Amino acid sequence: MSTSSRFIRVLQVLLLSVFLVIVGYRILIQDVGLEVLTPEPSYKVTLRMDMTPAEASAGAPMRVSTYVPASNERQRVAPLPHQTGPLSFEVTSDATGRRAVWRAEAAGDAQEVSYAFRVWPQSVAYQLDDELKRPAPGAAPPALHGYLRETPAHPVGTAAAQARYERIAPRRTDRLVPLLQALFEHAASVSEGTGTAAASERTGAPDREGNRWLVTLARQAHIPSRLVGGLMLHDGQASRVHQWAELHINGHWVPFDAAHGHFATLPASYLPLCRGATSLAQSSAGTGLKYTVDVDQSWTARQEMERATTAASTATPGLWKPLTDAGLSLDLLMLMLLLPVGGSMVVFFRNVVGLETYGTFLPALLAVACLATGLLWGMLAFLIVTLTVAVLHLPLERAGLMHTPRLAILMVCVIVQILLTALSVQFEWVDLSYFILFPVVILTSTAERFSAHLTEDGPAKAAKVTLMTAFVIACSYFIMNFSVVGLTLLAFPEVLLLVISFNVWLGRWVGIRLTEYTRFRWLINRHQDPSYATETR
Amino acid sequence: MLQKLADVFHRQVLGMNRRNADVIYRNHTRKDFTVADDKVVTKQLLEPAGIPVPQTYAILHEIRELQEAWERIRQLADLVIKPANGRAGQKILVLKRTDDGWETPGGTHYSAGAIQRHIADIIYGTHASGAWDRAIVESRVVAHPFFRAIYEDGLPDVRVIAYEGTLVQAMCRIPTAASDGKANLHQGALGVRIDLETGRLGQGYNYEQYHPAHPDSGVRFAGRTMPAWDAVRAISLDVCDLVPLDYLGIDIVLDETQGPLVMEINARPGLEIQNVNRQGLREQLTALHS
Ligand SMILES: Nc1ncnc2c1ncn2[C@@H]1O[C@H](COP(=O)(O)OP(=O)(O)O)[C@@H](O)[C@H]1O
Ligand SMILES: [Mg+2]
């Protein structure tokens, strides 16, 4: 064994053991939990209202409102910028919930307003104790008496309700859970009966009937109960307005949805907005209202949630605090930690798979830029830049300009091109400097590389390398975009030791690259080729 | 079949990774490579040793030397201008005298000003390094009639691969219409096998198939024997003695009057020659090294 391969072996063992010691120390002694890595869904929700004042009400005051969620034990809500147009805006609260209200002195033209927020909901499940007894009449505290009363939606105490209750409530037991199950089953069957497509079409509120009856019958059994209105969140525009029930049991408001079989549980996708049988958005008389919900779902880990509120996370007690205190965002920090991972991916694609790319770190940098801007926009920018360079290359070369000034001209054109694209496509600029400067720097160096390839290898080869580069960018993007990868790096930056070790291995690997199997396929049948044999003898 | 594949790819074929790690960069310092990478250094090494190279008219290190050198350059009928640190034929200008200036083989006219700008462009920097470079002005090599009979355009060259002082494989690269007169395989030139012992040409390879005749002119070359093959071999062996590198690609052109001239030395010659000769380099290098 040569000294250098002995050295490599020692190095690898060293890297791995240092890694294990650090990780072991942090997990066993510092008690850093792995649960910080579990991703959870979060939803970016936009409630949008289109108002069209009727002719007759022109000039009269106009008002539109919608219920909006608040943070509580099961959900964290972070408001996002909302859109009010020329209307005044405020948020009010009452017994039914929080409401965003827009007002105008005099109704004018059609208006669009919206309210946006990001929510991290959790599913909840209640364990109901079998020993619980049915509540006695009058046992509820006075504050809850309102939730036992007869209302237009809940005909408590009427002959019909009474008869229905008598029919389904189990006799011979004073326990609560069997009663709840019976009521729930009945409500579910009601939902099934009315929840047909036709009924949903007509009422605009599918399977609302079952939960309404669940509340009515629970009140009949002296259990304080109410309807809850909210959204069933789905990615895209498929979210639905829905109503379910809450029963006050043993001091808790316990959720039930008979329409979808959720007994004392609530999935994470349910977003409660208001209490009572009111509609989610309201407008003053004479104003037409169209209510749409846009949802953008993403998977983020718990740490993200932490991050939204506090700079230092529980997973890395104090680890990054000096940096975040100095103003470095965790997002940026994560991108920096991801860069070597992306770089290693590129090395892998070059040395093991055998693809050609523009440089080693350029594709990794571009993939990281895509993380900030989204893959689509990143790829678009990459293609626009290469196209710009491809179109300008020949005229500039024909003009007999020297190489370096030519690059400067290219740079101007590329930047103008990117800005034009940015203007013509409407983006949500969260932070313009962050979203645009970083990729522009990288893209101009892409332009330089690409122009060099065009000169050295010609357009066909350059186009091929461009495609392979785009492919490698996309692959690195997908790996780095797994939030687990980034979070693992944030929580356990010692993983970078593994990255080094992987590259040490790659650096010593002298095997045949995947693409070389086709490249040198001609050698497989060298002796069988008759023409060859005759030519050379 | 699998046995065969394993044999070809794990014993015969030299892959890029092994070439880089085990063949090129083993046992060498950065300085050894400048002999091959810098054409000025190459010439300064070969010329005094009596190895034939195209005649050097001028080497320009700085832009202020241009004015004085120009007085000599303008007298020349034919000339070639190239960067010391170029690759893939980048920034190489081949010029012939006309009544009112110069022109390239492709017919593009060059005025005195355009030539001076080209020299300045070379000195001000290349793609490869971005650093300053030097411009070489040398005599123009004219293809030997042997090759002109096969294909009229461009300048074919012979590539010899040497390892630890032994010649291992050889091919010649003949321009085609697709390669636009260039003798570069990946630009479309034909790589033609040369039998090391006899100098006989074999089939020509262009990534897609093997040709016994030139695809554009139709002239059959397979079976013909290179002129001055013994001289090419002798020159290659002399180069091996002079250059401090184990693994070398030596590019030799055949001038119609001067015969074989060393055009450049390559420290990282491509691996495509294995396809041209249908023979893996790895088994040959292993045999030589043991
Ligand atoms: N002195 C010369 N006479 C004629 N053609 C030349 C001369 N020097 C270079 N060329 C042309 O340029 C090509 C590349 O030259 P070369 O010295 O091999 O540089 P590179 O390192 O860029 O390949 C040659 O194949 C040949 O066609
Ligand atoms: Mg060359």
Side-chain angles (χ1 to χ4, degrees):
Chain A
M1 192 162 62
S2 74
T3 44
S4 93
S5 57
R6 194 168 312 133
F7 168 75
I8 293 295
R9 239 181 234 189
V10 171
L11 180 67
Q12 290 286 39
V13 170
L14 209 67
L15 283 170
L16 290 183
S17 34
V18 170
F19 170 77
L20 287 176
V21 166
I22 297 182
V23 165
Y25 172 78
R26 302 211 27 231
I27 291 183
L28 298 177
I29 316 271
Q30 284 193 334
D31 207 21
V32 174
L34 288 174
E35 72 277 358
V36 292
L37 305 179
T38 328
E40 297 172 337
S42 88
Y43 304 87
K44 187 186 148 213
V45 184
T46 312
L47 308 174
R48 198 168 274 127
M49 279 141 294
D50 287 310
M51 295 170 273
T52 25
E55 293 287 336
S57 61
M62 182 168 77
R63 178 181 182 280
V64 61
S65 70
T66 183
Y67 284 100
V68 296
S71 295
N72 56 33
E73 325 72 71
R74 91 165 267 272
Q75 70 199 31
R76 190 177 295 251
V77 179
L80 296 171
H82 56 265
Q83 181 196 338
T84 60
L87 288 77
S88 74
F89 172 80
E90 65 176 331
V91 176
T92 63
S93 290
D94 63 16
T96 60
R98 290 177 82 229
R99 251 186 281 199
V101 187
W102 293 264
R103 280 195 184 83
E105 290 298 327
D109 300 331
Q111 288 287 347
E112 190 193 283
V113 294
S114 68
Y115 185 89
F117 54 91
R118 179 171 284 281
V119 58
W120 290 264
Q122 276 171 336
S123 59
V124 280
Y126 285 87
Q127 286 296 309
L128 296 182
D129 189 349
D130 269 345
E131 298 302 315
L132 285 173
K133 297 282 186 287
R134 295 185 190 189
L144 295 176
H145 284 173
Y147 297 113
L148 290 167
R149 251 178 240 132
E150 179 194 348
T151 64
H154 308 298
V156 187
T158 60
Q162 199 102 38
R164 200 183 274 235
Y165 179 74
E166 294 301 334
R167 199 175 74 233
I168 55 177
R171 291 159 228 280
R172 291 189 302 275
T173 172
D174 61 348
R175 293 182 188 225
L176 180 64
V177 175
L179 172 69
L180 289 177
Q181 276 160 348
L183 299 186
F184 186 81
E185 263 160 44
H186 175 73
S189 70
V190 172
S191 289
E192 232 156 69
T194 58
T196 59
S200 316
E201 228 31 87
R202 190 161 15 85
T203 58
D207 37 58
R208 191 168 282 187
E209 205 67 352
N211 286 324
R212 198 167 67 81
W213 270 108
L214 181 59
V215 170
T216 309
L217 295 171
R219 288 185 184 184
Q220 198 75 42
H222 313 292
I223 306 169
S225 52
R226 64 191 183 192
L227 282 176
V228 176
L231 296 170
M232 288 164 71
L233 300 172
H234 282 286
D235 208 7
Q237 304 205 308
S239 298
R240 287 193 350 195
V241 174
H242 187 49
Q243 271 183 356
W244 57 96
E246 276 180 356
L247 275 57
H248 198 264
I249 299 167
N250 211 15
H252 298 281
W253 283 107
V254 181
F256 292 85
D257 182 8
H260 297 94
H262 301 300
F263 184 89
T265 59
L266 199 65
S269 61
Y270 277 50
L271 179 67
L273 289 172
C274 70
R275 294 178 283 273
T278 53
S279 56
L280 293 184
Q282 288 150 356
S283 59
S284 47
T287 306
L289 182 64
K290 191 167 152 262
Y291 182 71
T292 46
V293 181
D294 257 335
V295 175
D296 197 358
Q297 183 182 9
S298 53
W299 287 87
T300 47
R302 192 164 305 165
Q303 190 156 352
E304 289 263 320
M305 184 165 61
E306 227 93 49
R307 182 195 301 188
T309 47
T310 57
S313 67
T314 50
T316 54
L319 183 57
W320 302 120
K321 208 160 171 347
L323 290 177
T324 50
D325 285 352
L328 183 68
S329 79
L330 275 181
D331 278 311
L332 209 54
L333 190 64
M334 191 158 96
L335 291 185
M336 282 165 61
L337 292 171
L338 277 171
L339 200 54
V341 174
S344 310
M345 294 268 306
V346 179
V347 174
F348 178 81
F349 273 110
R350 287 168 63 101
N351 284 17
V352 178
V353 179
L355 300 184
E356 282 178 81
T357 57
Y358 299 149
T360 313
F361 281 100
L362 208 60
L365 275 170
L366 278 163
V368 168
C370 286
L371 285 181
T373 59
L375 184 62
L376 203 69
W377 152 233
M379 281 292 173
L380 191 74
F382 177 67
L383 284 181
I384 286 173
V385 165
T386 37
L387 275 181
T388 313
V389 175
V391 168
L392 292 175
H393 179 76
L394 208 61
L396 285 178
E397 210 176 40
R398 284 268 163 80
L401 296 186
M402 286 197 253
H403 177 66
T404 352
R406 212 161 66 201
L407 272 185
I409 297 177
L410 273 182
M411 187 143 78
V412 173
C413 299
V414 162
I415 285 178
V416 169
Q417 188 58 256
I418 292 173
L419 289 179
L420 282 181
T421 319
L423 285 178
S424 58
V425 186
Q426 288 291 312
F427 293 108
E428 264 174 45
W429 298 114
V430 179
D431 180 350
L432 207 62
S433 63
Y434 176 67
F435 269 67
I436 221 171
L437 187 63
F438 182 41
V440 161
V441 171
I442 297 163
L443 285 171
T444 43
S445 72
T446 308
E448 179 174 357
R449 284 303 184 105
F450 179 62
S451 130
H453 266 263
L454 269 178
T455 328
E456 290 184 20
D457 299 328
K461 181 82 191 295
K464 212 170 122 191
V465 177
T466 305
L467 284 185
M468 289 194 272
T469 306
F471 175 76
V472 172
I473 293 171
C475 290
S476 328
Y477 168 86
F478 280 119
I479 295 289
M480 291 194 281
N481 198 30
F482 269 130
S483 66
V484 194
V485 178
L487 289 163
T488 307
L489 281 165
L490 268 187
F492 301 98
E494 51 274 23
V495 169
L496 289 182
L497 290 171
L498 293 184
V499 173
I500 295 178
S501 160
F502 175 61
N503 281 293
V504 169
W505 176 77
L506 275 181
R508 299 283 291 187
W509 189 76
V510 292
I512 298 282
R513 297 174 183 177
L514 230 47
T515 51
E516 286 176 339
Y517 283 96
T518 60
R519 180 180 174 192
F520 296 116
R521 66 187 178 281
W522 305 101
L523 271 73
I524 296 172
N525 287 325
R526 59 171 164 159
H527 299 301
Q528 270 98 323
D529 185 350
S531 63
Y532 186 76
T534 53
E535 284 323 323
T536 56
R537 236 147 318 205
Chain B
M1 184 64 199
L2 272 182
Q3 184 74 47
K4 170 118 197 234
L5 274 182
D7 187 55
V8 168
F9 286 103
H10 296 133
R11 297 229 335 255
Q12 299 174 13
V13 168
L14 178 65
M16 205 58 138
N17 289 326
R18 189 175 294 277
R19 185 202 76 168
N20 291 344
D22 282 0
V23 180
I24 297 183
Y25 292 106
R26 207 196 44 196
N27 300 337
H28 288 302
T29 62
R30 195 171 264 291
K31 201 170 147 280
D32 295 342
F33 290 104
T34 57
V35 172
D37 292 344
D38 189 311
K39 293 193 175 71
V40 171
V41 179
T42 313
K43 285 198 127 174
Q44 284 167 350
L45 182 72
L46 301 188
E47 229 168 357
I51 294 176
V53 293
Q55 188 189 345
T56 311
Y57 295 139
I59 292 172
L60 290 99
H61 298 76
E62 284 176 58
I63 216 73
R64 61 185 163 86
E65 298 168 1
L66 183 56
Q67 207 154 33
E68 188 210 316
W70 182 249
E71 290 308 314
R72 274 184 296 134
I73 295 172
R74 57 181 296 191
Q75 316 288 333
L76 301 171
D78 291 2
L79 69 154
V80 170
I81 301 170
K82 59 181 176 187
N85 288 301
R87 58 161 284 249
Q90 227 180 291
K91 290 193 191 173
I92 293 184
L93 201 53
V94 179
L95 295 170
K96 261 187 290 194
R97 187 100 219 191
T98 62
D99 299 337
D100 59 340
W102 290 264
E103 70 173 25
T104 63
T108 313
H109 177 81
Y110 266 79
S111 65
I115 296 175
Q116 289 176 356
R117 269 204 302 283
H118 186 88
I119 293 175
D121 190 22
I122 289 175
I123 292 175
Y124 280 143
T126 58
H127 296 300
S129 54
W132 287 30
D133 202 351
R134 283 147 299 158
I136 300 172
V137 184
E138 66 181 18
S139 66
R140 183 169 81 93
V141 178
V142 180
H144 191 278
F146 172 80
F147 285 115
R148 285 222 303 272
I150 295 170
Y151 188 63
E152 199 47 54
D153 288 346
L155 180 64
D157 68 355
V158 177
R159 156 72 54 92
V160 179
I161 300 281
Y163 187 62
E164 297 187 346
T166 311
L167 308 188
V168 183
Q169 289 194 18
M171 66 171 168
C172 68
R173 295 175 291 193
I174 303 182
T176 62
S179 82
D180 194 21
K182 301 203 178 67
N184 239 326
L185 285 194
H186 74 248
Q187 283 169 326
L190 211 56
V192 179
R193 173 191 157 90
I194 301 180
D195 183 73
L196 257 186
E197 298 307 319
T198 61
R200 256 171 84 104
L201 304 195
Q203 301 254 319
Y205 163 84
N206 70 346
Y207 291 97
E208 280 150 20
Q209 64 187 94
Y210 290 83
H211 303 264
H214 195 281
D216 300 312
S217 69
V219 176
R220 190 180 167 89
F221 47 74
R224 298 190 185 192
T225 301
M226 273 270 305
W229 182 245
D230 288 339
V232 171
R233 283 180 55 114
I235 290 171
S236 304
L237 289 169
D238 287 346
V239 170
C240 292
D241 286 344
L242 276 175
V243 174
L245 292 167
D246 289 341
Y247 181 67
L248 274 182
I250 304 158
D251 290 357
I252 294 174
V253 287
L254 214 55
D255 186 75
E256 63 178 350
T257 52
Q258 293 170 271
L261 303 173
V262 175
M263 179 113 289
E264 69 163 333
I265 294 172
N266 224 305
R268 304 165 199 81
L271 298 170
E272 215 56 57
I273 196 169
Q274 299 177 101
N275 279 331
V276 172
N277 284 322
R278 290 194 142 179
Q279 179 165 18
L281 278 166
R282 186 174 170 195
E283 49 183 354
Q284 292 184 295
L285 304 196
T286 316
L288 284 173
H289 193 63
S290 56

